[in-house]
Amino acid sequence: MTVRELLRMSVPALVIGVVAALVLFVVEAAGAALETLLWDALPGVLHVDGSSGWWIVLVLTATGAGVGVVLRFAPGHGGRDSATTELIAPPLDVKTLPSLAGATVLGLGGGVSLGPENPVIAMTTSLLVSAGRVLRSRMRPETIVALAAAATIGALFGTPVAAALVFTGMAGGPSDRLALWDRLFLPLVAAGAAAVTMTFLAHPAFVVDLPTYTTPSVGDLGSAAVVASAGACLGVAMAWVFPALHRFVHRMPGPVVAVTVAGAGLGLLGAVGGPVTLFNGADEIDELVSDRAHLSATVLALVIAVKCLALLLAAASGFRGGRIFPAVFIGAALGLLAHELVPAVPLTVAIASGVVGVVLAVARDGWIALFIGATITGSVPVLAVLCVAILPAWLIVSRAPEFIAVPSAPAVPVPRSGARW
């Protein structure tokens, strides 16, 4: 592409970025409002403890029933099952969006262990592709999908760096630097616009308060490799179980029964693991880390087991949501457990390595695993350790099954340099 073409297409890329951030903000704000209602306002009115086991079971069972009703009766039936899709998938019919949004918000506010990434990307791409058709845009639908995905990733993490890393892995093709950056230029514009917009609206922070880590050592390399490999093994184990659990749940008579039963199961798991094991885990990581002095190895192992089961059950049963954010929580809890068992392992290294291992197995993307592992600690020196730790973890993950129930349609590719945007 010429410089003039890149500059011309930067305007719609900027618009896509802003729209993606707005969609994410609205969905998360609606989920947060429902969360406040269910977990703070209602318990206050009824004079009950919102963190008690029976309330957790009640709310999650009701959430499952609500989502099941949406999936059964609402127009569009909630779009695609999130268990069968990657982050980037072909656009949905715009008529499915209200039901998809409703199911997503119910899950986010009700405490389901899934993140917003998959449904938000699906909603954004569907809206923008439909708008492109109405406006007779010259931009191809697959290009709009790719830019919307990049923008949503940028908005989720508050920086376009994650989107750049993901799309670097997807771009392929010629290895010359100019061609690569031609392909990344518009995704970076969209992701940058989304990140700035989301920062202005919500000030997202994806950093946990951890001890400063400044000087990597040889011992840390070995420790990080062990923790990351353990996380990868844990993620692979979940990936092995996931398709069978998905088939079992979907043998039940319809989504109302299946998702309600799953909601009750999530409630029982939440009652066992406590409120820290609810929701997508992004905010709960801070709580887990700040309370680490009061958490024994046994308690941490219980939290990890409950969150793994909650992620599997929520993702397999029809709830709409992504799997990356709960994976980050599981990885952080695994790091805390490693540090508790072997205090010589620096806490920052342990948490970052655990996150890298679990996210690598769940997302099957080394770049995003490294990015999240480094970002969550806010430490640049830890990145050098993670680049070594991820190598044995990748050997474990590379031939293992993907964390997906049924292979979905191929991800929309990033257009190559010179392609018609």
Side-chain angles (χ1 to χ4, degrees), residues 144-391:
I144 296 175
V145 172
L147 296 185
T152 304
I153 294 169
L156 279 166
F157 297 108
T159 171
V161 175
L165 293 174
V166 170
F167 279 76
T168 297
M170 291 175 56
S175 59
D176 60 283
R177 186 173 302 173
L178 180 60
L180 174 64
W181 280 92
D182 272 348
R183 293 193 295 274
L184 289 179
F185 186 85
L186 294 180
L188 276 173
V189 171
V196 171
T197 302
M198 197 65 185
T199 300
F200 175 77
L201 292 172
H203 307 288
F206 205 65
V207 179
V208 177
D209 185 16
L210 293 170
T212 302
Y213 181 77
T214 57
T215 308
S217 68
V218 174
D220 293 344
L221 296 178
S223 301
V226 170
V227 176
S229 297
C233 289
L234 184 58
V236 167
M238 289 192 289
W240 276 103
V241 173
F242 187 56
L245 180 60
H246 183 268
R247 289 191 298 269
F248 173 78
V249 172
H250 283 74
R251 290 194 186 105
M252 294 184 183
V256 176
V257 174
V259 188
T260 302
V261 170
L266 291 174
L268 292 173
L269 287 170
V272 172
V276 75
T277 60
L278 302 178
F279 303 99
N280 63 38
D283 295 329
E284 287 69 30
I285 293 175
D286 284 320
E287 180 181 344
L288 197 67
V289 172
S290 62
D291 290 344
R292 63 184 182 272
H294 308 291
L295 300 175
S296 66
T298 302
V299 171
L300 288 170
L302 177 64
V303 167
I304 293 169
V306 167
K307 194 66 175 182
C308 287
L309 292 173
L311 170 56
L312 285 168
L313 184 56
S317 58
F319 286 103
R320 298 309 191 241
R323 301 177 284 276
I324 291 180
F325 281 86
V328 175
F329 177 91
I330 294 168
L334 180 65
L336 282 170
L337 176 60
H339 176 72
E340 178 69 20
L341 293 174
V342 186
V345 180
L347 180 62
T348 302
V349 171
I351 288 179
S353 303
V355 168
V356 163
V358 179
V359 171
L360 182 65
V362 171
R364 295 301 286 268
D365 191 304
W367 287 122
I368 198 69
L370 282 173
F371 169 79
I372 295 177
T375 300
I376 198 172
T377 64
S379 171
V380 174
V382 81
L383 182 59
V385 177
L386 297 181
C387 287
V388 174
I390 199 173
L391 299 178

